[in-house]
Amino acid sequence: MSNTSNSYQSQNTKSAIRAYLGGSFDPVHNGHLQMAMYVYEHLLPIAKQQQRLLYVSLLPNARSPFKEDSTNPKHRLAMLKLATQDSPLYINELELWQAPPVYTIDSVQILRARYPNDSLIFIMGMDSARSLEHWKNGLQLTDYVSLWVFDREENFDSDIDTDIYTDKNFFKNELQHSLTSQLPKLLKPFIVDSVLQLLAANPQSLTNSFGVKNSHQGYIFIDPRAVAAVSSTQVRQQLYQQLPQAPQSLNITHSADMQIASIAPINDIIANTAPNSLAKWLNPAVYQYIIAHQLYSAAQFR
């Protein structure tokens, strides 16, 4: 099964459930995959019960105009394919080849127009959700899609003294309240208690602030489960520190040979015995691709 999907919905197809995790994926790491798989595993029994198709996709964005060292989209796509090849996840290239800047609000409008009868969900971390008011029309995302928000903070429960709680439900409610308080005020009325409510669009006859007729009201589900608190920036920094930096006088081929000879053996990465944290963060095939193509090293930026 191909894991790259840009297909349009047939008019005769029963409405599907489509969830998207956007990002630069520079590089894709296990924190991304963990969030996407959480969503897939939770939605799969619901989709089967409702006899609906399910697509959970990674949505890589265009190269950022603000990052001179942003990795070429062809490499980011190749790494995504390697990371998802043995999974049920898809890759959607909607944003990848567009000229930047590409805004999420434009993408959700396109997806809503493309799949008017489907349940559309955008997956994001609380770090992104709390800053939506600073995105281009970020508070209008729920005019088109529902949001599934994860907390990715390393100490997501640091403000709650867990020792004084013996009731797990009470602790869960306190955590949920703590996370909810971080959302922009205008989005709080759309918070719901269950994933099922994300799949039930609220029909409305309205024309939104962009002049686009829309019959969907999205909701927001805050998932309190802890996910890997790692960023692509941290992975890049770790790679840069660990990959040997060849002197300027060496050619690219010699530089690559030095890197491959010096990295932790790929079998150690697979067995999770390498003496670094990259084994926890990267799919082994992605790690190998990074080495083979000299990504995130001094050679890349000469």
Side-chain angles (χ1 to χ4, degrees):
M1 178 179 70
S2 171
N3 65 348
T4 301
S5 175
N6 288 308
S7 61
Y8 285 74
Q9 174 181 308
S10 166
Q11 291 183 348
N12 296 322
T13 301
K14 189 173 182 179
S15 90
I17 302 170
R18 300 178 185 272
Y20 302 89
L21 174 62
S24 62
F25 303 109
D26 192 11
V28 58
H29 56 69
N30 291 339
H32 297 132
L33 301 177
Q34 184 185 33
M35 277 199 293
M37 284 304 300
Y38 270 164
V39 170
Y40 176 84
E41 291 166 359
H42 199 120
L43 290 177
L44 183 60
I46 298 174
K48 287 182 176 179
Q49 183 180 26
Q50 297 182 354
Q51 297 183 323
R52 301 170 68 183
L53 295 175
L54 172 63
Y55 303 93
V56 178
S57 302
L58 303 181
L59 183 71
N61 58 26
R63 176 183 290 192
S64 171
F66 307 109
K67 296 181 181 179
E68 293 183 3
D69 59 350
S70 179
T71 305
N72 191 301
K74 71 175 184 180
H75 288 310
R76 292 191 284 121
L77 179 60
M79 289 187 285
L80 280 171
K81 289 180 177 179
L82 290 171
T84 58
Q85 62 184 350
D86 296 321
S87 80
L89 303 177
Y90 288 81
I91 302 166
N92 187 296
E93 299 178 33
L94 171 66
E95 297 184 351
L96 188 62
W97 307 110
Q98 296 184 48
V102 178
Y103 297 105
T104 302
I105 189 65
D106 298 327
S107 297
V108 299
Q109 287 185 9
I110 291 170
L111 290 169
R112 177 51 62 197
R114 186 177 293 181
Y115 306 118
N117 301 316
D118 288 357
S119 297
L120 302 185
I121 300 170
F122 256 57
I123 309 161
M124 63 177 61
M126 180 58 78
D127 52 335
S128 295
R130 72 165 68 99
S131 66
L132 281 175
E133 57 192 339
H134 303 297
W135 293 23
K136 179 188 176 184
N137 299 322
L139 299 182
Q140 280 74 53
L141 290 183
T142 52
D143 287 349
Y144 301 93
V145 299
S146 290
L147 305 180
W148 189 323
V149 180
F150 286 91
D151 189 77
R152 296 194 300 182
E153 298 296 335
E154 199 158 340
N155 299 306
F156 72 99
D157 58 353
S158 60
D159 293 333
I160 302 174
D161 185 356
T162 59
D163 293 336
I164 67 173
Y165 297 129
T166 56
D167 186 325
K168 290 184 178 180
N169 287 330
F170 184 75
F171 169 69
K172 182 179 178 181
N173 290 337
E174 287 295 306
L175 174 58
Q176 199 83 23
H177 176 74
S178 175
L179 295 175
T180 298
S181 67
Q182 299 179 44
L183 277 183
K185 184 177 180 179
L186 291 176
L187 292 180
K188 290 180 181 179
F190 305 124
I191 295 174
V192 294
D193 298 325
S194 75
V195 171
L196 277 172
Q197 291 170 277
L198 297 185
L199 306 180
N202 180 18
Q204 296 184 15
S205 297
L206 55 83
T207 299
N208 63 27
S209 57
F210 307 107
V212 178
K213 289 187 176 180
N214 187 31
S215 60
H216 182 89
Q217 171 59 64
Y219 299 107
I220 302 170
F221 173 70
I222 300 177
D223 196 320
R225 284 177 295 184
V227 294
V230 59
S231 70
S232 292
T233 299
Q234 290 174 299
V235 175
R236 290 195 302 271
Q237 291 172 344
Q238 189 80 3
L239 285 164
Y240 187 86
Q241 292 169 4
Q242 293 187 11
L243 297 180
Q245 309 305 321
Q248 291 284 340
S249 59
L250 293 180
N251 62 35
I252 295 295
T253 301
H254 191 181
S255 172
D257 291 342
M258 286 181 61
Q259 289 184 8
I260 292 172
S262 304
I263 62 172
I266 193 66
N267 288 339
D268 289 348
I269 296 296
I270 294 172
N272 202 19
T273 59
N276 60 63
S277 54
L278 292 175
K280 297 184 296 184
W281 293 347
L282 293 175
N283 177 290
V286 171
Y287 183 83
Q288 195 168 35
Y289 183 94
I290 289 170
I291 300 305
H293 293 271
Q294 300 181 76
L295 303 181
Y296 314 113
S297 66
Q300 178 190 9
F301 304 127
R302 281 193 222 159

